[in-house]
Structures are given as C-alpha cells and as structure tokens.
Amino acid sequence: MANNIIRSIATYDARFPLPAGAGTDSIHATSEYCLAVTLLATDSGLTGSGFVLTLGAGNELVGKAIEMLATPLQGKSIDEIMADFGRLSRSIADHAALRWLGPHKGVVHLALASITNACFDLWAKSRGVPLWKLLLDLSPEELVRVLDLSYVEDVVDEKRALEMLREHHATRASRERILATGYPGYDTSVGWMDYSDDKVRELTKAALDQGFSAFKLKVGSRKESRDLRRAAMLRELAGDDKTIMFDANQHWNLPDALRMCRELSKFKPLWIEEPTHPDDLLAHVEISDAIAPVRVAAGEHISNRVLFKNFLKAKALHFFQVDCTRVAGISEFLTVSFMAKIFNRPIVPHVGDMGQMHQHLMFFNHIALDHEVVFLEHIPHLRKHFVHPAEVSAGVYCTPQEPGASTDLKVNATA
C-alpha cells in the first residue's frame, strides 16, 4: 500500500491574461493574474497542488525560491510532514541563509505559502476529503500541531489554542448548518478601476440579478471627483438595503486618506479598504478613529502573523483580510484566525486564490472557532482554469465536496 511519500517536487509558472480592465486598481494596472504553483507528486499517484498569486513579473523568482525551500519534503510521507507541520514550517521559514531575504515576507514567504498550500491539498486528498472536512475532523491536538505560534505566544500559545477549540466544539452543531446554506460572497469584479461607469452599471445590475447583496468599488483615481461620482453611482445602484465597500489599494498618504475616507464615508460603506501604506500601523489607527462608525479593512499586503498581531493589539483595523496566498499559506492563515477571534475581529479574506482555498477556511473558521459570518470575496476571472472551480449560486459559496483544497489547475491536471 502506498504511503503518499513525496517522490518529486516541481513548480509551474501559470499566467492568465484577464479581460480588458479586469483586475486593475489605483496601484496595479496589469490585467493578468499569475500563480506560482508547487506540485508534490507521491508514490501513490496523488499530487498535491498549491499556489500563490503574483501579477507576473517576479513569478519566476517565487518558483526558484520554492525549489530551494521545498527540499525538506523530499522522501517524506504527507502524514509525517503534517504530524508536526508547525515545527517544519518554522524550520523552512528560518532557513539559515534565505531568512535574510525576509524574514517572513516577500518572495521567500510567498514560496513557503505555495509549498504549505500544496501540503494541505495533498493531506486532504490522501484522506479522501475536502480541506474543510479534514480540518474539522482533526483533534484539537492535531490541529494545533500544524500551527507555527512563534512570536505570537503573548496572544495565543498552544494551551490557549487548544482551549479555544475545545470550548467551541460543544456548540459546533448549531453552526454546521452553514454547510447546507453556504457562505455569503461579495462581488469585487463589478468595480475595477479601469472600468467605465457604464461597465460598472452593467456589471452591478447583473450581480444584483445573480443574487449578490454586497459590492466593492476601486477608488484612488487621479481625479478625486471621479471616485466620489462613482461611489455615489454604486450606492444608487445598490440601494440603501445593500452593502457597498471601497478599496483604495494603498493609494493615499495619511492626510489624503483622512480627507477622502471622510468624503467616502458619506455613502455609508461597510468598510474602506487599504486606505494607505500597509506597513503604516499608526496611520491605520488614526484613520479608524477618524471615520468610525465606518470600518477600516486591510490584510492583503500584511505579510505575516506578527504584523497581524500588532494590528490587532493596536486596534488599527476592524476587518482582517488575511490571505493564504500572502502569509505563509493555510497554516499561518489559521494562526491569524485564532488571534482575530481572541480580539473579536472578523476574518474577511482577500482572495488571491480566487476563493478556491478560502471557501474551505471560512467554513472551518465559523464552525470550529465560532467566527462571525460576514462575506467572502468573489472574483470569477480564473474560474475556467480550475479543475473544481468554486461554485457560487445566488451570491453564496456552495460547500465544496471534492477531496483536496480546490487548488488543481487544468493546465497541471493529468488524465
């Protein structure tokens, strides 16, 4: 009987052009989504697939880093790897030479995320279950052993994490109904920066017809009047009973952010996202205080659990948009989820994976940790490239049933 021993490790540079204007924001003008893919082939015939998002340039750098960092997996079974994955992940992140390039950020951290996501996909496939079920079926001890809690023990250590899992286990049944009803999504793809007003109107009306009740608009235009006009348009299209959000993608300095966030707050968004540089924690504190009760969201460029810990402690954000293709994969995503629960802050991921992995993680977060159900971002542009694309019906993510983490790309699929 095969033991799912990893016999080969490969990378793949996957690049997908998007429709004109799709994916554009105030900083990133490239209509192309690219994935740095890790493939873990085993003696059983199963292949674990994981990836992280880039915008093309630099994808090959992440691929090279994957090759360098993944060598400790060679010749090990997936059960051996995942039995103490937190320790293994930390040892990879602390590579004696490559750590200098981070630590825990940039190309090397993206590479670790791709590797990690492939490990979780292979683990779930080896058990014949979707990722959400694998995570829910683990004992508290097994789950905690996949986490690297170093540098965040002041918020959550192994004992606290175990207590949280055990505490919420007794009430799981009351939350498992979400597996039947699905997880609510919001539509980002109606409001890309380079879309004309007519295009935004057309797509928002179509999304309303599809059952979505929440929509996001890119802001940070060269002319501020354009942002305000489009914000008013989206609010009118959505109506007062629907949810809208604005995303500046780090465009403003602090004075500009304060001014524009106050103006945009008049349209009653649920949140304003990435209003300034993602490393400027104190600026986020000031903006959060200034525009309350409108909330601030960020996370797609917050690269590790230590930074998230600091944002939580400083009360700099309300909505935490941790992305398992930005932090060190699914494991570090879960660590951030534990911390956010302690601070009573909701997780609303940025979906650099197009929602493929995050759909599993949001079902786990709600059921196992009693996280509040808010929204999961929906971006449909790569849907045709996945073997098992996320299914969204009437604005809701349906519970995936196929074994694995929904990461297999058709370009890598074997017959």
Tab-separated table of all heavy atoms in Angstrom, residues 95-135:
chain	number	residue	atom	x	y	z
A	95	HIS	N	15.261	29.209	7.329
A	95	HIS	CA	16.407	28.766	6.534
A	95	HIS	C	17.584	29.696	6.815
A	95	HIS	O	17.472	30.924	6.720
A	95	HIS	CB	16.031	28.797	5.056
A	95	HIS	CG	17.054	28.244	4.134
A	95	HIS	ND1	18.257	28.870	3.882
A	95	HIS	CD2	17.057	27.114	3.374
A	95	HIS	CE1	18.953	28.169	3.012
A	95	HIS	NE2	18.249	27.087	2.692
A	96	ALA	N	18.721	29.114	7.144
A	96	ALA	CA	19.845	29.886	7.671
A	96	ALA	C	20.278	31.025	6.755
A	96	ALA	O	20.709	32.085	7.236
A	96	ALA	CB	21.029	28.950	7.939
A	97	ALA	N	20.186	30.826	5.450
A	97	ALA	CA	20.608	31.869	4.524
A	97	ALA	C	19.423	32.650	3.948
A	97	ALA	O	19.444	33.876	3.882
A	97	ALA	CB	21.426	31.255	3.389
A	98	LEU	N	18.375	31.936	3.548
A	98	LEU	CA	17.263	32.595	2.858
A	98	LEU	C	16.422	33.461	3.784
A	98	LEU	O	15.727	34.376	3.321
A	98	LEU	CB	16.388	31.555	2.162
A	98	LEU	CG	17.078	30.794	1.023
A	98	LEU	CD1	16.144	29.735	0.458
A	98	LEU	CD2	17.528	31.742	-0.071
A	99	ARG	N	16.451	33.189	5.102
A	99	ARG	CA	15.702	34.031	6.038
A	99	ARG	C	16.126	35.491	5.931
A	99	ARG	O	15.336	36.402	6.179
A	99	ARG	CB	15.902	33.526	7.467
A	99	ARG	CG	14.989	34.192	8.491
A	99	ARG	CD	15.269	33.652	9.891
A	99	ARG	NE	14.298	34.109	10.862
A	99	ARG	CZ	14.354	35.284	11.502
A	99	ARG	NH1	15.340	36.125	11.223
A	99	ARG	NH2	13.421	35.609	12.381
A	100	TRP	N	17.385	35.706	5.554
A	100	TRP	CA	17.899	37.076	5.418
A	100	TRP	C	17.089	37.878	4.399
A	100	TRP	O	17.008	39.100	4.486
A	100	TRP	CB	19.374	37.015	4.999
A	100	TRP	CG	20.040	38.339	4.972
A	100	TRP	CD1	20.233	39.162	3.891
A	100	TRP	CD2	20.618	39.034	6.084
A	100	TRP	NE1	20.884	40.311	4.253
A	100	TRP	CE2	21.132	40.261	5.599
A	100	TRP	CE3	20.758	38.733	7.451
A	100	TRP	CZ2	21.772	41.185	6.431
A	100	TRP	CZ3	21.393	39.657	8.260
A	100	TRP	CH2	21.889	40.866	7.751
A	101	LEU	N	16.486	37.197	3.442
A	101	LEU	CA	15.719	37.884	2.407
A	101	LEU	C	14.349	38.317	2.907
A	101	LEU	O	13.667	39.070	2.209
A	101	LEU	CB	15.563	36.986	1.178
A	101	LEU	CG	16.868	36.500	0.524
A	101	LEU	CD1	16.563	35.638	-0.688
A	101	LEU	CD2	17.765	37.664	0.149
A	102	GLY	N	13.953	37.878	4.064
A	102	GLY	CA	12.677	38.282	4.647
A	102	GLY	C	12.939	39.185	5.835
A	102	GLY	O	13.317	40.337	5.620
A	103	PRO	N	12.800	38.714	7.069
A	103	PRO	CA	12.212	37.408	7.358
A	103	PRO	C	10.688	37.448	7.298
A	103	PRO	O	10.071	38.452	7.618
A	103	PRO	CB	12.690	37.135	8.795
A	103	PRO	CG	12.814	38.501	9.401
A	103	PRO	CD	13.255	39.411	8.286
A	104	HIS	N	10.136	36.362	6.826
A	104	HIS	CA	8.692	36.137	6.848
A	104	HIS	C	7.927	37.152	6.006
A	104	HIS	O	6.819	37.561	6.354
A	104	HIS	CB	8.176	36.144	8.299
A	104	HIS	CG	8.977	35.270	9.207
A	104	HIS	ND1	9.219	35.571	10.528
A	104	HIS	CD2	9.633	34.099	8.979
A	104	HIS	CE1	9.966	34.626	11.081
A	104	HIS	NE2	10.231	33.723	10.157
A	105	LYS	N	8.515	37.520	4.887
A	105	LYS	CA	7.844	38.430	3.952
A	105	LYS	C	8.509	38.301	2.592
A	105	LYS	O	9.588	37.709	2.454
A	105	LYS	CB	7.893	39.875	4.445
A	105	LYS	CG	9.295	40.441	4.607
A	105	LYS	CD	9.277	41.902	5.036
A	105	LYS	CE	8.799	42.120	6.439
A	105	LYS	NZ	9.753	41.638	7.452
A	106	GLY	N	7.875	38.854	1.587
A	106	GLY	CA	8.463	38.907	0.264
A	106	GLY	C	8.475	37.568	-0.453
A	106	GLY	O	7.682	36.668	-0.179
A	107	VAL	N	9.399	37.444	-1.396
A	107	VAL	CA	9.464	36.278	-2.278
A	107	VAL	C	9.576	34.977	-1.493
A	107	VAL	O	8.887	33.990	-1.797
A	107	VAL	CB	10.637	36.429	-3.267
A	107	VAL	CG1	10.952	35.103	-3.960
A	107	VAL	CG2	10.331	37.506	-4.306
A	108	VAL	N	10.430	34.950	-0.457
A	108	VAL	CA	10.633	33.685	0.257
A	108	VAL	C	9.384	33.279	1.034
A	108	VAL	O	9.083	32.091	1.166
A	108	VAL	CB	11.856	33.762	1.206
A	108	VAL	CG1	13.145	33.766	0.399
A	108	VAL	CG2	11.786	34.959	2.131
A	109	HIS	N	8.638	34.242	1.534
A	109	HIS	CA	7.417	33.909	2.279
A	109	HIS	C	6.316	33.455	1.320
A	109	HIS	O	5.537	32.551	1.645
A	109	HIS	CB	6.964	35.118	3.095
A	109	HIS	CG	6.304	34.758	4.386
A	109	HIS	ND1	6.862	33.917	5.309
A	109	HIS	CD2	5.116	35.136	4.929
A	109	HIS	CE1	6.069	33.794	6.359
A	109	HIS	NE2	4.991	34.521	6.145
A	110	LEU	N	6.238	34.071	0.139
A	110	LEU	CA	5.286	33.605	-0.868
A	110	LEU	C	5.602	32.173	-1.276
A	110	LEU	O	4.694	31.353	-1.472
A	110	LEU	CB	5.323	34.521	-2.090
A	110	LEU	CG	4.793	35.949	-1.901
A	110	LEU	CD1	5.037	36.766	-3.166
A	110	LEU	CD2	3.313	35.952	-1.551
A	111	ALA	N	6.889	31.862	-1.401
A	111	ALA	CA	7.278	30.496	-1.752
A	111	ALA	C	6.840	29.512	-0.676
A	111	ALA	O	6.316	28.429	-0.976
A	111	ALA	CB	8.789	30.424	-1.961
A	112	LEU	N	7.045	29.871	0.586
A	112	LEU	CA	6.609	28.997	1.681
A	112	LEU	C	5.094	28.812	1.641
A	112	LEU	O	4.582	27.720	1.904
A	112	LEU	CB	7.049	29.580	3.024
A	112	LEU	CG	6.594	28.820	4.277
A	112	LEU	CD1	6.992	27.352	4.223
A	112	LEU	CD2	7.159	29.489	5.531
A	113	ALA	N	4.357	29.864	1.304
A	113	ALA	CA	2.896	29.756	1.198
A	113	ALA	C	2.493	28.757	0.122
A	113	ALA	O	1.599	27.930	0.321
A	113	ALA	CB	2.284	31.118	0.912
A	114	SER	N	3.136	28.815	-1.028
A	114	SER	CA	2.814	27.887	-2.108
A	114	SER	C	3.090	26.448	-1.692
A	114	SER	O	2.275	25.548	-1.926
A	114	SER	CB	3.632	28.251	-3.355
A	114	SER	OG	3.278	27.429	-4.450
A	115	ILE	N	4.232	26.232	-1.026
A	115	ILE	CA	4.589	24.899	-0.529
A	115	ILE	C	3.566	24.419	0.498
A	115	ILE	O	3.073	23.285	0.447
A	115	ILE	CB	5.999	24.928	0.084
A	115	ILE	CG1	7.047	25.220	-0.991
A	115	ILE	CG2	6.311	23.618	0.799
A	115	ILE	CD1	8.401	25.623	-0.427
A	116	THR	N	3.254	25.281	1.454
A	116	THR	CA	2.305	24.937	2.512
A	116	THR	C	0.944	24.562	1.939
A	116	THR	O	0.331	23.555	2.336
A	116	THR	CB	2.158	26.113	3.487
A	116	THR	OG1	3.407	26.336	4.146
A	116	THR	CG2	1.075	25.850	4.524
A	117	ASN	N	0.466	25.357	1.001
A	117	ASN	CA	-0.850	25.098	0.429
A	117	ASN	C	-0.876	23.771	-0.320
A	117	ASN	O	-1.887	23.046	-0.292
A	117	ASN	CB	-1.264	26.256	-0.472
A	117	ASN	CG	-1.459	27.552	0.315
A	117	ASN	OD1	-1.692	27.518	1.529
A	117	ASN	ND2	-1.362	28.686	-0.350
A	118	ALA	N	0.236	23.416	-0.961
A	118	ALA	CA	0.319	22.110	-1.627
A	118	ALA	C	0.290	20.972	-0.609
A	118	ALA	O	-0.320	19.924	-0.854
A	118	ALA	CB	1.597	22.040	-2.471
A	119	CYS	N	0.938	21.169	0.535
A	119	CYS	CA	0.923	20.143	1.586
A	119	CYS	C	-0.490	19.898	2.101
A	119	CYS	O	-0.918	18.737	2.259
A	119	CYS	CB	1.838	20.552	2.734
A	119	CYS	SG	3.611	20.439	2.383
A	120	PHE	N	-1.225	20.966	2.355
A	120	PHE	CA	-2.601	20.797	2.855
A	120	PHE	C	-3.493	20.155	1.799
A	120	PHE	O	-4.356	19.325	2.127
A	120	PHE	CB	-3.162	22.151	3.294
A	120	PHE	CG	-2.794	22.527	4.704
A	120	PHE	CD1	-1.605	23.172	4.979
A	120	PHE	CD2	-3.635	22.227	5.762
A	120	PHE	CE1	-1.255	23.518	6.285
A	120	PHE	CE2	-3.310	22.560	7.069
A	120	PHE	CZ	-2.107	23.204	7.335
A	121	ASP	N	-3.304	20.516	0.540
A	121	ASP	CA	-4.091	19.898	-0.523
A	121	ASP	C	-3.811	18.398	-0.593
A	121	ASP	O	-4.745	17.583	-0.662
A	121	ASP	CB	-3.755	20.558	-1.862
A	121	ASP	CG	-4.482	19.913	-3.034
A	121	ASP	OD1	-5.724	19.904	-3.020
A	121	ASP	OD2	-3.792	19.423	-3.951
A	122	LEU	N	-2.527	18.023	-0.550
A	122	LEU	CA	-2.166	16.607	-0.606
A	122	LEU	C	-2.685	15.860	0.613
A	122	LEU	O	-3.170	14.720	0.494
A	122	LEU	CB	-0.643	16.470	-0.706
A	122	LEU	CG	-0.093	15.042	-0.736
A	122	LEU	CD1	-0.671	14.245	-1.895
A	122	LEU	CD2	1.441	15.070	-0.806
A	123	TRP	N	-2.623	16.477	1.773
A	123	TRP	CA	-3.104	15.851	3.008
A	123	TRP	C	-4.593	15.526	2.899
A	123	TRP	O	-5.032	14.421	3.216
A	123	TRP	CB	-2.819	16.764	4.178
A	123	TRP	CG	-2.845	16.134	5.525
A	123	TRP	CD1	-2.690	14.820	5.838
A	123	TRP	CD2	-3.004	16.822	6.772
A	123	TRP	NE1	-2.738	14.641	7.204
A	123	TRP	CE2	-2.932	15.853	7.802
A	123	TRP	CE3	-3.181	18.157	7.120
A	123	TRP	CZ2	-3.053	16.192	9.153
A	123	TRP	CZ3	-3.290	18.494	8.458
A	123	TRP	CH2	-3.226	17.523	9.464
A	124	ALA	N	-5.368	16.516	2.433
A	124	ALA	CA	-6.816	16.295	2.294
A	124	ALA	C	-7.108	15.220	1.241
A	124	ALA	O	-7.970	14.359	1.435
A	124	ALA	CB	-7.512	17.602	1.941
A	125	LYS	N	-6.377	15.255	0.117
A	125	LYS	CA	-6.578	14.233	-0.909
A	125	LYS	C	-6.237	12.844	-0.376
A	125	LYS	O	-6.919	11.857	-0.694
A	125	LYS	CB	-5.716	14.550	-2.131
A	125	LYS	CG	-6.218	15.705	-2.976
A	125	LYS	CD	-5.213	16.042	-4.067
A	125	LYS	CE	-5.702	17.164	-4.963
A	125	LYS	NZ	-4.646	17.609	-5.909
A	126	SER	N	-5.170	12.753	0.441
A	126	SER	CA	-4.773	11.447	0.974
A	126	SER	C	-5.824	10.876	1.908
A	126	SER	O	-5.919	9.656	2.085
A	126	SER	CB	-3.431	11.558	1.707
A	126	SER	OG	-3.562	12.198	2.973
A	127	ARG	N	-6.637	11.754	2.526
A	127	ARG	CA	-7.730	11.305	3.391
A	127	ARG	C	-9.045	11.165	2.626
A	127	ARG	O	-10.053	10.731	3.197
A	127	ARG	CB	-7.921	12.295	4.547
A	127	ARG	CG	-6.681	12.527	5.415
A	127	ARG	CD	-6.373	11.370	6.334
A	127	ARG	NE	-5.186	11.595	7.136
A	127	ARG	CZ	-5.174	12.138	8.356
A	127	ARG	NH1	-6.330	12.521	8.918
A	127	ARG	NH2	-4.047	12.298	9.019
A	128	GLY	N	-9.048	11.584	1.359
A	128	GLY	CA	-10.251	11.471	0.540
A	128	GLY	C	-11.356	12.433	0.910
A	128	GLY	O	-12.537	12.140	0.679
A	129	VAL	N	-10.992	13.614	1.461
A	129	VAL	CA	-11.996	14.572	1.929
A	129	VAL	C	-11.621	15.983	1.482
A	129	VAL	O	-10.451	16.279	1.243
A	129	VAL	CB	-12.139	14.544	3.467
A	129	VAL	CG1	-12.653	13.198	3.943
A	129	VAL	CG2	-10.823	14.896	4.151
A	130	PRO	N	-12.618	16.876	1.379
A	130	PRO	CA	-12.299	18.280	1.130
A	130	PRO	C	-11.576	18.884	2.333
A	130	PRO	O	-11.707	18.403	3.465
A	130	PRO	CB	-13.665	18.935	0.909
A	130	PRO	CG	-14.657	18.001	1.524
A	130	PRO	CD	-14.073	16.631	1.438
A	131	LEU	N	-10.831	19.935	2.078
A	131	LEU	CA	-9.997	20.532	3.126
A	131	LEU	C	-10.799	20.927	4.356
A	131	LEU	O	-10.356	20.704	5.489
A	131	LEU	CB	-9.249	21.749	2.568
A	131	LEU	CG	-8.407	22.521	3.572
A	131	LEU	CD1	-7.270	21.669	4.122
A	131	LEU	CD2	-7.871	23.812	2.950
A	132	TRP	N	-11.980	21.528	4.155
A	132	TRP	CA	-12.759	21.977	5.318
A	132	TRP	C	-13.070	20.801	6.246
A	132	TRP	O	-13.019	20.943	7.468
A	132	TRP	CB	-14.047	22.690	4.888
A	132	TRP	CG	-15.023	21.877	4.092
A	132	TRP	CD1	-15.156	21.835	2.734
A	132	TRP	CD2	-16.014	20.955	4.606
A	132	TRP	NE1	-16.156	20.964	2.355
A	132	TRP	CE2	-16.699	20.409	3.477
A	132	TRP	CE3	-16.383	20.545	5.885
A	132	TRP	CZ2	-17.739	19.482	3.612
A	132	TRP	CZ3	-17.418	19.617	6.028
A	132	TRP	CH2	-18.079	19.098	4.900
A	133	LYS	N	-13.371	19.634	5.659
A	133	LYS	CA	-13.705	18.468	6.481
A	133	LYS	C	-12.460	17.919	7.166
A	133	LYS	O	-12.518	17.502	8.335
A	133	LYS	CB	-14.384	17.399	5.637
A	133	LYS	CG	-14.791	16.157	6.451
A	133	LYS	CD	-15.730	15.259	5.713
A	133	LYS	CE	-16.050	13.992	6.500
A	133	LYS	NZ	-16.511	14.254	7.885
A	134	LEU	N	-11.350	17.881	6.445
A	134	LEU	CA	-10.106	17.453	7.074
A	134	LEU	C	-9.826	18.269	8.323
A	134	LEU	O	-9.553	17.725	9.400
A	134	LEU	CB	-8.945	17.597	6.089
A	134	LEU	CG	-7.551	17.443	6.695
A	134	LEU	CD1	-7.257	15.992	7.026
A	134	LEU	CD2	-6.482	18.000	5.769
A	135	LEU	N	-9.905	19.589	8.201
A	135	LEU	CA	-9.591	20.463	9.335
A	135	LEU	C	-10.581	20.256	10.481
A	135	LEU	O	-10.184	20.233	11.651
A	135	LEU	CB	-9.594	21.921	8.878
A	135	LEU	CG	-8.515	22.307	7.855
A	135	LEU	CD1	-8.713	23.750	7.397
A	135	LEU	CD2	-7.122	22.114	8.419
